[in-house]
Amino acid sequence: ETCRLLRAEPTSRDTPIILLTASDDPDLGAKGRQVGATATVRKPFGSGNILSAVEQALGRKIDPLQR
């Protein structure tokens, strides 16, 4: 529901949405994309998984040492 609400608002329509989940539903990634999620990261996850999802969502590499 949150994805749909964010996508319906002009000010948040283009904001990347990354779902973090403990669900073992194999269709969750596809379901998330159907409602507007950019990516889905499943638990257990490490910082590398999250960084990769953020890079993909933003379309660019992120230097983890840069602050």
Side-chain angles (χ1 to χ4, degrees), residues 19-48:
L19 304 176
L20 303 178
T21 182
S23 173
D24 60 357
D25 179 352
D27 298 324
L28 186 64
K31 290 175 185 175
R33 283 188 300 279
Q34 287 175 348
V35 296
T38 308
T40 302
V41 179
R42 297 179 191 280
K43 284 184 174 182
F45 50 80
S47 59

Side-chain angles (χ1 to χ4, degrees), residues 49-67:
N49 299 96
I50 295 173
L51 184 60
S52 179
V54 170
E55 288 173 342
Q56 182 179 1
L58 297 177
R60 62 185 174 94
K61 287 283 190 186
I62 299 171
D63 181 354
L65 301 177
Q66 187 179 27
R67 298 190 189 258

